[in-house]
Amino acid sequence: MIIHKTNFLMRALYPDFLWRIPTKEKEIYLTFDDGPIPEITEFVLEELAKFNAKATFFCIGDNIAKHQNVFQQVVNQGHTIGNHTFNHLKGWNTENGEYLKNFDLCQVEIDKNEIQNRRLFRPPYGRIKRNQAKEILKTHEIVMWDVLTADYDQNITQEQVLKKTLQHTEQGSIVLFHDSIKASRNMKYVLPRVLEHFSERDFVFKKL
Ligand SMILES: [Zn+2]
């Protein structure tokens, strides 16, 4: 079973991570992991632009290096960039030194193009050891999520992904999408509908 809504226990275990944004405004924070990927990330950018939406992209360093042009488009359109390691490492299975080196390598790729004041990191798979996080928190905020769209899951229908996402997203939610090949079938269906649904209800989409 996929847990679409991050539960209280998870948040209580890691209170120093960012799970949602406390706000009195009708705001939603869309995030896109694992890009930049040609065509797919570009699709996301076009959809966001239609709704005047800003978002946050947690990029894989290796993809930035391979797809500079796509990365530059994300930067030029004023979205926020976050670090997602260079090779999408799973913290639980990776020795600390290697993990932190890979995190640094991604940051080098980001900083070549764009120095951002706010430094954000999202651990791939949401899995990170406490002592890895402790090091990263010295320089970066660690951003998790409130709503998991599960767009990458091939076993659920586009309609189910959409329904769950609409059901769980609320004021201040951080919503996790993927601009990856694997997620693209579901994401391309769900994202335009989420943007439309909440825009019609006077929400704005903001970057972190
Ligand atoms: Zn990821």
Side-chain angles (χ1 to χ4, degrees), residues 4-123:
H4 291 269
K5 186 83 176 171
T6 303
N7 65 33
F8 172 77
L9 182 63
M10 281 281 283
R11 290 185 211 169
L13 274 173
Y14 300 100
D16 44 357
F17 296 178
L18 202 56
W19 295 94
R20 45 178 294 117
I21 304 295
T23 175
K24 293 192 172 66
E25 307 298 320
K26 293 178 91 171
E27 297 167 347
I28 292 167
Y29 295 81
L30 300 181
T31 63
F32 297 87
D33 287 12
D34 299 357
I37 300 288
E39 200 262 319
I40 298 167
T41 305
E42 289 163 311
F43 170 88
V44 172
L45 292 176
E46 279 173 30
E47 292 303 313
L48 294 175
K50 284 182 197 166
F51 292 89
N52 243 324
K54 293 293 179 226
T56 304
F57 291 78
F58 289 93
C59 296
I60 296 176
D62 190 40
N63 284 340
I64 300 176
K66 284 179 185 151
H67 310 299
Q68 292 281 336
N69 166 282
V70 184
F71 181 72
Q72 202 55 52
Q73 289 179 54
V74 181
V75 170
N76 290 349
Q77 294 185 30
H79 301 292
T80 297
I81 305 295
N83 181 326
H84 199 48
T85 75
F86 195 86
N87 295 110
H88 207 256
L89 298 187
K90 195 179 275 181
W92 292 358
N93 303 350
T94 311
E95 180 269 318
N96 291 356
E98 190 192 339
Y99 192 78
L100 295 169
K101 204 173 128 196
N102 207 266
F103 155 81
D104 282 338
L105 270 178
C106 180
Q107 197 60 47
V108 168
E109 267 325 306
I110 294 171
D111 292 349
K112 272 186 204 167
N113 297 276
E114 168 84 348
I115 306 285
Q116 299 192 338
N117 293 331
R118 191 169 187 191
R119 304 223 147 193
L120 304 174
F121 175 71
R122 174 174 282 161

